[in-house]
Amino acid sequence: MHVPSKAGMACRKFLTLLAGTLAFSAMAASAYAQQLPLFDAHMHYNVEARSVLSPQQVIDLWRKTGIRAVLATSRPNDGTLDLIAQKAPDITIVPFLRPYRVQPDRHDWFSNAEIDAFVEKELQRGIYRGIGEFHIFGKDADAPFMAKIARLAKARDLWLHAHADEDAVERILRHAPGVKLIWAHTGMSTPLDKVEQMFAQYPNIVGELSYRMDLEQDGALNPRWRALMTKYPNRFVVGTDAWVTPRWGQVEELAAFYRRMLGGLPRDVAERIAYRNGLSMFGLEEERSTR
Ligand SMILES: [Zn+2]
């Protein structure tokens, strides 16, 4: 018969205790993460969604979901103006100018003189904190209008919100070095080594995380992502990307997904990515005290 030594028993007791403590802190972490307020840095209240959800219903959905601030864009921009007009005191709305009037503009906006005039006119509203989300890939980013937009954003301290491959991002940054750029979907499928290299090279890129399918691994935050977020805690924001109307029906599910993923990070990093980075990007840090 094997008689466990006193030291062995103590060691086992310690391990049991340690496992309990770890389980407790994991539970505490996830309980905390479930309450995280969110800054939704990627949504579109487009004309199709407006026919289904009233601006008040959108505000109610954000309230219910714990989305406390949004980077608002829409096609056309009227949707964003409608949301602002609600004057919801508890939801911070950061409006971006979308350079699309109708859906097909997505494909040729950067070479369309009408869009140039449209953007100039929209800018006169004086309310926008950035331009986007726009789509641009590869050499299209060398189009003169793209270069103009990048320089204009730099000159007026506006952000760009680009759905772009890494090639297009680098071309944009060559047109206007130092321009602030939210990289929609953090490139979506850009290898993480390349993302990391670009973050090191271009300090003004912020990665938005929607549709990054590699974020989750075995039901939790992918360790590669965890390392990148911990290395660059100020450089990521979350987004629902409600780009088609059915995706508006998934907003609560997407918020729960982000809270589950962020629960795998140190609390401070999770808070930054969930909410605080979005605020500080637009000089809204004082809102923290109202949480
Ligand atoms: Zn989008």
Side-chain angles (χ1 to χ4, degrees):
M1 184 178 141
H2 173 73
V3 181
S5 70
K6 219 173 178 181
M9 276 170 74
C11 179
R12 211 164 304 156
K13 221 172 178 177
F14 172 72
L15 287 176
T16 311
L17 207 70
L18 183 69
T21 308
L22 288 176
F24 177 75
S25 49
M27 267 167 60
S30 62
Y32 150 73
Q34 281 164 25
Q35 305 299 319
L36 275 174
L38 298 176
F39 184 114
D40 184 353
H42 192 157
M43 51 72 52
H44 310 287
Y45 186 41
N46 289 338
V47 64
E48 299 85 0
R50 283 166 73 200
S51 69
V52 177
L53 287 170
S54 71
Q56 187 57 52
Q57 283 172 314
V58 172
I59 300 281
D60 291 344
L61 174 64
W62 287 335
R63 266 187 196 134
K64 185 173 159 196
T65 314
I67 292 174
R68 304 279 295 278
V70 295
L71 189 165
T73 80
S74 64
R75 163 185 49 76
N77 289 304
D78 309 44
T80 296
L81 303 179
D82 280 357
L83 292 170
I84 294 170
Q86 293 302 302
K87 298 187 190 303
D90 53 338
I91 309 278
T92 301
I93 295 180
V94 180
F96 267 43
L97 191 172
R98 198 153 208 223
Y100 304 168
R101 303 154 305 171
V102 289
Q103 203 278 338
D105 285 344
R106 165 182 177 147
H107 306 291
D108 70 348
W109 68 275
F110 49 86
S111 58
N112 184 338
E114 286 180 18
I115 298 290
D116 191 343
F118 170 72
V119 168
E120 286 290 345
K121 191 156 178 272
E122 281 291 312
L123 279 170
Q124 288 170 13
R125 293 186 194 278
I127 59 168
Y128 297 111
R129 305 296 308 273
I131 300 172
E133 177 204 23
F134 53 77
H135 299 74
I136 196 116
F137 300 95
K139 289 190 177 121
D140 284 348
D142 281 342
F145 183 49
M146 180 68 256
K148 179 183 168 184
I149 291 284
R151 292 188 194 115
L152 181 150
K154 174 81 190 299
R156 299 193 190 188
D157 198 27
L158 299 172
W159 283 82
L160 298 175
H161 193 329
H163 179 144
D165 54 12
E166 53 269 36
D167 181 21
V169 168
E170 296 195 287
R171 286 172 197 268
I172 291 169
L173 296 174
R174 277 199 290 274
H175 298 315
V179 70
K180 296 180 290 188
L181 185 142
I182 299 169
W183 192 7
H185 321 294
T186 318
M188 199 173 278
S189 56
T190 304
L192 282 183
D193 286 345
K194 179 65 182 171
V195 171
E196 186 163 7
Q197 180 239 307
M198 286 178 68
F199 270 45
Q201 193 174 348
Y202 308 111
N204 290 332
I205 295 180
V206 167
E208 182 274 322
L209 296 166
S210 62
Y211 285 103
R212 268 307 312 207
M213 299 315 209
D214 55 352
L215 211 56
E216 183 175 13
Q217 186 179 302
D218 303 324
L221 185 62
N222 178 341
R224 273 289 280 121
W225 269 104
R226 189 181 197 282
L228 196 56
M229 289 167 163
T230 309
K231 185 171 178 186
Y232 293 108
N234 299 327
R235 305 280 297 277
F236 291 101
V237 289
V238 300
T240 57
D241 192 14
W243 65 287
V244 286
T245 311
R247 187 123 163 136
W248 277 98
Q250 296 167 18
V251 165
E252 287 177 85
E253 193 185 311
L254 289 161
F257 168 76
Y258 280 125
R259 290 184 174 114
R260 199 167 75 243
M261 292 304 109
L262 297 176
L265 288 162
R267 180 173 177 154
D268 179 54
V269 178
E271 272 191 347
R272 284 170 195 249
I273 295 173
Y275 188 62
R276 284 168 45 197
N277 287 347
L279 292 181
S280 67
M281 283 160 63
F282 302 103
L284 300 165
E285 292 96 327
E286 68 274 13
E287 302 267 332
R288 286 185 64 187
S289 58
T290 64
R291 274 190 296 156

